[in-house]
Amino acid sequence: MEIKNSTITFWFQKQPNPKNFVDTFNNNLKDYFFEFNIIGVPANIDPTIPRLTAVSSSNHSNIEISMINAQLKTNFDNNYSKDIKMCINYLKERALKLYDTLKECNINIIYSAIFINLEEKETNAVEKIKNQFLKKNDLDKIDEIGIRFSQVIDNKFYGNISFNNSKQIKIENICNKGEIIFPLISLNDASEIENFLSVSVEFNDKFAFNSNSNNNTKKEDLLKLFNLMSIKLEEEMKRFK
């Protein structure tokens, strides 16, 4: 099982013009990211559309700032993907810097979320998930499976985990057929189909926000989310061995 990618999201009340903060973001995050691009989006367009974007010098991460959230998105390569500590330390260092930058801009974070995807190549992914979680193993000929669990932790956090099988499809020599519309492409046209077992883990403090709309994510809350994630990743990396 390998860590493939992650998304860390800080949610906040609507900011009329995030572009006003571009200098602060550039100054505080220059050790990790190139200068932010300002996206020309009309103010009355969907507030989730990014207004500021930046790419890391390593090209593994990017930051997107919209009117209502800031997201740190990361793809892990083979140097990191099997090392939980390295991945968490990488994310924590940048997420804390982004958190501090938002606070410096007087943007209060009402809740936060850490989402990480794990994956391994597995021909029998459906059977593995079914045998792990279903007591009555009498469901035959299942081609796809998905199971999701959610729990409340310390009356403050949500822990969510999903297990499913997935397919990666490689299609060659199809461009000469004209327009490519993926729902209209048959698997019969695939030159290669690989099966994967996928696990998605998320921890957030939205339960605290749901209980109190005036909630703000404190730095210790964010550190707690990282701690919860580290423990859970250790469990999930070993679950299907």
Side-chain angles (χ1 to χ4, degrees), residues 6-8 29 32-34 36-37 50 52-65 70-75 90-91 94 98:
S6 70
T7 301
I8 298 175
L29 297 164
Y32 308 102
F33 294 87
F34 293 116
F36 279 75
N37 296 308
L52 300 173
T53 63
V55 178
S56 67
S57 53
S58 66
N59 205 38
H60 287 103
S61 296
N62 66 79
I63 291 178
E64 297 180 352
I65 311 292
Q71 291 192 315
L72 169 64
K73 299 180 179 180
T74 302
N75 293 312
Y90 177 97
L91 294 175
R94 287 152 182 79
L98 179 56

Side-chain angles (χ1 to χ4, degrees), residues 28-47:
N28 288 10
L29 297 164
K30 61 185 178 183
D31 290 340
Y32 308 102
F33 294 87
F34 293 116
E35 286 196 354
F36 279 75
N37 296 308
I38 298 175
I39 310 300
V41 181
N44 59 347
I45 299 298
D46 184 352

Side-chain angles (χ1 to χ4, degrees), residues 96-128:
L96 288 172
K97 195 69 176 178
L98 179 56
Y99 174 93
D100 287 340
T101 302
L102 291 167
K103 298 292 284 185
E104 186 175 329
C105 295
N106 293 317
I107 298 175
N108 289 322
I109 301 157
I110 56 177
Y111 65 94
S112 307
I114 303 174
F115 182 89
I116 291 181
N117 281 314
L118 305 168
E119 187 178 82
E120 70 178 9
K121 190 179 293 187
E122 176 53 67
T123 303
N124 298 314
V126 170
E127 288 300 314
K128 278 200 166 187

